[in-house]
Amino acid sequence: MHGFETRAIHAGQDPDPRTGAVITPIYATSTYAQDGVGGLREGYEYSRTANPTRTALEECIAALEGGVRGLAFASGMAAEDTLLRAVLKPGDHIVIPNDAYGGTFRLVSKIAEPWGVSWSAAPVTDAAAVRAAVRPETKVIWVETPTNPLLSVADIAALAAVARDAGALLVVDNTFATPYLQQPLALGADVVVHSTTKYCGGHSDVVGGVLVVADSALGDELAYHQNAIGAVAGPFDAWLVLRGLKTLAVRMDRHSDNAERVVQLLERHPRVSQVLYPGLPGHPGHDVAVKQMSRFGGMVSFRLADGEQAAVDVCNRTKLFTLGESLGGIESLIEHPGRMTHASTAGSVLEVPGDLVRLSVGIETVEDLLADLGQALG
Ligand SMILES: Cc1ncc(COP(=O)(O)O)c(C=O)c1O
């Protein structure tokens, strides 16, 4: 098998057979001419069902994650929703992290629960606690690792064993790590989820999501739901994500380099009470992170000794770190999770601390990033 960077640039992306175009064209078409009734060219019939630009992305991400099938959606949430509707039915139970992306929590608690799915939250850092949360009707164990926004680390191999014993699927949201830094399917996960809006796209110019599976029967089931529900990635969006994937490896190395320098600055700063980064030897998940990640990525969270207002003030004072939601683009972003991305978790078991600030460290000149954070912290 080719190396990661080679797969990112070539998997699913042979030059166009008709023109030789080296870059996969954007097939902006809803339908396809048939050679006689039922005579489909390479299986293409209607673009909700399949589109060649989307196919290229789906094959590429499957190759990067080491899966047998990839499926691309209009957003990360569309991918998650399609997955949950495909693998759960009313009466089933799902274990979710007690520290998860707020939108995932909202989908489970506000959409899946009224439909008849029950859920429990467990700390992803504690495989025994996840095992204890399993019930006879548990069909899915869902984890993010590292988590958003607390950067907790789940032991994927240990949780895969818990899921196997429970007869449940292990779903890993690999958005923060990306397949360059961590490959959950090789560690025993059944499904990988991405918000490709983030590092996979990498340029903050597209919203998208993917699912990748290790089992082709599950892949067929998800493809059936993808077509039936219809929340697919359009060809322009699929093309942008595919372009992003080509440089994922070099971007993730630079994100990781810059994040390490930012962490050093924060660790020394008297106004910072705690730095959350899996690459720190003192991080509770560091040993597991070393085992399952090649590096630790560009996401860094930290807490302010002076409380919530101090955290909000830092977010308001940066100039190069743009105050905004989302993450994983080439530009650096800062946000206050409690009032922004994770506001929907307020009052729940997933509520995040008010003194928390989250950074998505970009790939700008690192000295400029350090100077900006320094002035914002004061
Ligand atoms: C870890 C994680 N998973 C899923 C999502 C949802 O993806 P999208 O915003 O593309 O729908 C996000 C979005 O922030 C996320 O951070």
Side-chain angles (χ1 to χ4, degrees):
M1 190 172 49
H2 286 128
F4 186 91
E5 292 84 346
T6 308
R7 280 178 277 147
I9 293 167
H10 295 287
Q13 303 168 75
D14 286 342
D16 181 56
R18 192 160 80 84
T19 63
V22 165
I23 296 301
T24 304
I26 300 171
Y27 284 89
T29 188
S30 58
T31 191
Y32 305 83
Q34 303 191 8
D35 298 320
V37 175
L40 306 183
R41 297 187 196 169
E42 297 189 25
Y44 291 104
E45 177 181 24
Y46 183 62
S47 277
R48 170 161 38 73
T49 319
N51 173 283
T53 316
R54 196 174 93 217
T55 305
L57 168 61
E58 293 177 337
E59 289 182 2
C60 185
I61 190 72
L64 295 182
E65 286 287 0
V68 298
R69 182 129 190 202
L71 298 156
F73 296 86
S75 68
M77 293 318 303
E80 294 189 14
D81 179 42
T82 304
L83 171 62
L84 292 183
R85 286 201 260 173
V87 299
L88 293 174
K89 58 182 188 327
D92 289 343
H93 174 256
I94 174 171
V95 181
I96 59 169
N98 66 352
D99 165 23
Y101 172 57
T104 301
F105 175 63
R106 183 175 52 204
L107 179 67
V108 170
S109 63
K110 298 286 194 288
I111 307 289
E113 186 183 326
W115 182 54
V117 168
S118 59
W119 58 274
S120 316
V124 293
T125 50
D126 182 351
V130 173
R131 193 182 286 277
V134 166
R135 301 181 190 167
E137 61 274 22
T138 302
K139 293 290 180 322
V140 172
I141 296 175
W142 187 292
V143 295
E144 275 173 38
T145 185
T147 60
N148 182 4
L150 294 175
L151 282 311
S152 304
V153 174
D155 185 331
I156 297 172
L159 292 173
V162 173
R164 229 176 7 254
D165 292 348
L169 295 174
L170 179 66
V171 176
V172 176
D173 184 331
N174 204 26
T175 298
F176 271 34
T178 83
Y180 181 61
L181 302 181
Q182 169 175 284
Q183 305 206 328
L185 298 180
L187 297 166
D190 299 288
V191 184
V192 166
V193 176
H194 281 280
S195 168
T196 54
T197 314
K198 312 294 163 21
Y199 289 106
C200 291
H203 296 73
S204 304
D205 52 11
V206 63
V207 171
V210 294
L211 301 174
V212 184
V213 292
D215 174 70
S216 57
L218 180 57
D220 290 345
E221 188 65 24
L222 293 174
Y224 182 86
H225 281 77
Q226 181 193 38
N227 179 52
I229 294 171
V232 295
F236 290 93
D237 290 354
W239 188 87
L240 282 169
V241 175
L242 189 59
R243 183 169 68 165
L245 287 178
K246 292 175 203 286
T247 55
L248 181 65
V250 286
R251 284 187 286 107
M252 290 315 291
D253 275 330
R254 182 60 68 87
H255 283 296
S256 301
D257 290 344
N258 284 1
E260 285 168 13
R261 296 281 302 278
V262 163
V263 164
Q264 281 171 11
L265 177 143
L266 294 172
E267 282 258 283
R268 283 196 305 264
H269 204 285
R271 295 193 58 215
V272 174
S273 57
Q274 191 184 8
V275 183
L276 305 169
Y277 188 64
L280 283 171
H283 184 286
H286 181 68
D287 292 346
V288 176
V290 167
K291 196 175 67 169
Q292 67 189 21
M293 300 178 77
S294 55
R295 294 192 70 183
F296 308 105
M299 298 304 297
V300 179
S301 293
F302 62 98
R303 301 179 71 173
L304 272 294
D306 297 334
E308 176 156 357
Q309 192 53 48
V312 170
D313 290 345
V314 169
C315 293
N316 285 331
R317 273 200 299 259
T318 55
K319 296 192 169 67
L320 207 49
F321 278 84
T322 303
L323 178 62
E325 306 213 350
S326 200
L327 60 108
I330 46 2
E331 71 292 314
S332 293
L333 298 175
I334 189 167
E335 70 125 357
H336 185 267
R339 296 195 190 176
M340 295 170 64
T341 48
H342 290 67
S344 65
T345 63
S348 78
V349 284
L350 277 82
E351 183 168 324
V352 294
D355 58 9
L356 188 76
V357 171
R358 190 189 75 181
L359 303 177
S360 173
V361 180
I363 62 170
E364 300 96 333
T365 310
V366 70
E367 287 75 17
D368 295 334
L369 298 180
L370 299 177
D372 189 37
L373 273 181
Q375 68 77 25
L377 282 163

